[in-house]
Amino acid sequence: MNQKASSSELNMNELVNSLMKQLEEKDRQMAELNQTIANLTETINEMKRKLFGRSSEKTSKQFNIDGQLSLFDTADNSQEISEPEMIQIASHTKRKPRATHDEIAKNVPATVVNLTLEGEDLNCPYCNTPMVEIGTKTVREEIKITPAKVERIIYVQHNYACPQCREDGESTIVQAPVPAALIRHSMASASAVSYVMYQKCINCLPFYRQEKDWEQLGVKLNRGTLASWFNTCAQEYMQPVYDRLHVHLLEQVVIHADETTAQVLHEDDKTPESKSYIWLYTSGAFEEHRIVIYEYQPTRGGYHAAKFLADYHGYVHTDGFSGYNRLKDVTRCGCWAHLRRYMFEAVPKKTKDTTQSPALTGLAYCDRLFGIERKLADLSADERRQKRLELERPLLDSFWEWVEKQNPLGGSKFAKAVNYALNQKPYMENYLKDGRCSISNNAAERAVKAYVMGRKNFLFHDTVKGATASAIVYTLAETAKVNGLNIRLYLETVMTKMLDYKNEPESILEDLMPWSEMMQKTCNLKKHSEI
C-alpha cells in the first residue's frame, strides 16, 4: 500500500509540475502576444498620424524631464528657476502682420509711373487758371511679368578680299571671327541650356513637361534633345567647377553627409527596378563657404563616402547609417534631430496616455538641448563651445543616466528610440568639441530634399550619364542658391566663361566659385532677380 501511495503521490507531483510548466508557457505566450498587439497598435497609430495627421514634429506643449507640463523656458534647465510673478491680461488673438510690398518684392527692380495732368487738364475747372503741383502720394503698386521670350539668332559670316592683291594675281581673303558654339551642330545656347537646367533642378519640371512648355514658346524641341543638352553641358562645362567645389569642401572643418535613393533604368549588371543612390555632402552651417555637392553612386556602400572624403580629417555629421563607420581619421558627430524624432514617434497619440509615457521625458531632454542651441546661434565658435560645456554638459549627463535606467518592451517604438540613443552614444556628444559643429544633421537633410522633390516628378534617370549630370547640375544650382545668387544666371555665366576659356579652364575656376567677387557682382540675387 505504501508503495502504491508513493507512486500515486509521484504521479500527482509530475502532473502538477507539468501543469505549472504549461501555465508558465501560456503566460509567456500571453505576454508575447500582448507585446505584439501593443507594438502593432503603436505602428497603426503612427501610420494613421503620417497618413491623416500633421507631419510637423513640433509639440504644442512643453514638458519637463519628469513628463509633467512645464510652465518655464525649456532652455534654462541648468539654472535655478524662481516662481514668476503672475499677472492677468485680457484675452486676445494676435494676428500675423501682413507683409509689406517692399518685403514681398524687395529684390525686384521698380519702375515709377508718374500720374500727371497735361495740357488743358492743368487749368482750374472753375477759373481756368493754370494750377501748380503741391505734392505727390503713392496710390498703389502692382507686379508686372514679362513671359519668357525666345529669339532665333542667326550668325552670318562676312568674307573680305583685298582688291589690290587680286590685281597682283594674289588671293587674300579674310573671314569675320565666329563665336564658338556651345554644342557643335546644335541650336543650344548658354541661356537656353541654363533655362532647361533651372526648370528641371529648381522647378522640378521633367523633360517631357518642358517639351510642352517649349512648344508653347514656338520651338519644337523633343525631350531627347533637351536631355542631350543637359548631359553634354554638365559634363563638358560644369564638371571642372564641380571638381573644384569638391576640393574646397574638403578644406572645411565641418561636413554634413546624407544619401537618398535614385532609379536608373539602363545600368550595367542591374535591373531597372533596382536602387541606386545620390549621396549628399554639404559644408557646416557656421563655415565661411557654403557648398552643397551631390554625387551619384550605384550602391549605398559606405566605401563611396570613404572615397569621396579621402584625406579629410575634420568633423562629419551623419545619421545612424552604419556605412559611415568606414570613414577613417574623422570625428563623426551624431544627429540629435533623429533621436528626437524617435522619441516623438514613441509618444502615445492618445492624450490620456501621454503623461505616462517615458518617451515624453526623452523628448523633453531633446527639446531643452535644441532650446539652448537656438540661444547660442549668434555667438562665435569659441563662445558657443564654452556655453555648450556650461549649459548642455550637465543636461547630457542627466540624459544618459536616464536612458541607461530604461527597460522598454522589445520591438516597441520607445525601445527603438532607446537602442538608437545607446548605439549612437559614442557620436552624440562630439559636437561639443568644436563650436562650428551643429547639434543635428539637418543641414544635409534639407539639402537632400531638393533632389527628392525633383525625383517625385521625373521619377527616374534613363542612363548613368543622366544621373551623373543631374548630380553635377544640382550641385551648382544648390550651391548658388545658398550663396545668394540668381541660379539661372549663374549656370549661364559658368557655361559662357568656360566656353571662353575652353583651352585653359583652370585659370577661370576660382572666379566661377559662387562666393567669388566676380560672381557676387555678376549674379547676385539682389541685383539680378530675373529667372
Side-chain angles (χ1 to χ4, degrees), residues 260-264 267 270 274-278 296-299:
T260 188
T261 58
Q263 185 179 0
V264 180
E267 196 169 11
K270 294 180 69 174
S274 60
K275 290 182 179 180
S276 299
Y277 286 85
I278 294 292
Y296 159 77
Q297 290 294 349
T299 68

Side-chain angles (χ1 to χ4, degrees), residues 271-288:
T271 62
E273 299 81 11
S274 60
K275 290 182 179 180
S276 299
Y277 286 85
I278 294 292
W279 292 72
L280 180 282
Y281 307 91
T282 180
S283 56
F286 303 107
E287 293 289 340
E288 179 183 1

Side-chain angles (χ1 to χ4, degrees), residues 33 149 328 372 379 411:
L33 290 174
K149 179 181 178 182
K328 304 298 182 182
I372 296 173
L379 300 181

Side-chain angles (χ1 to χ4, degrees), residues 112-151:
V112 178
V113 179
N114 289 300
L115 307 175
T116 60
L117 297 177
E118 298 178 355
E120 295 182 357
D121 293 336
L122 272 173
N123 296 333
C124 177
Y126 300 103
C127 64
N128 207 34
T129 302
M131 295 182 292
V132 296
E133 184 175 320
I134 60 173
T136 62
K137 69 174 182 178
T138 301
V139 290
R140 67 185 177 90
E141 294 184 19
E142 62 184 21
I143 297 176
K144 177 183 177 182
I145 184 170
T146 302
K149 179 181 178 182
V150 179
E151 293 183 80

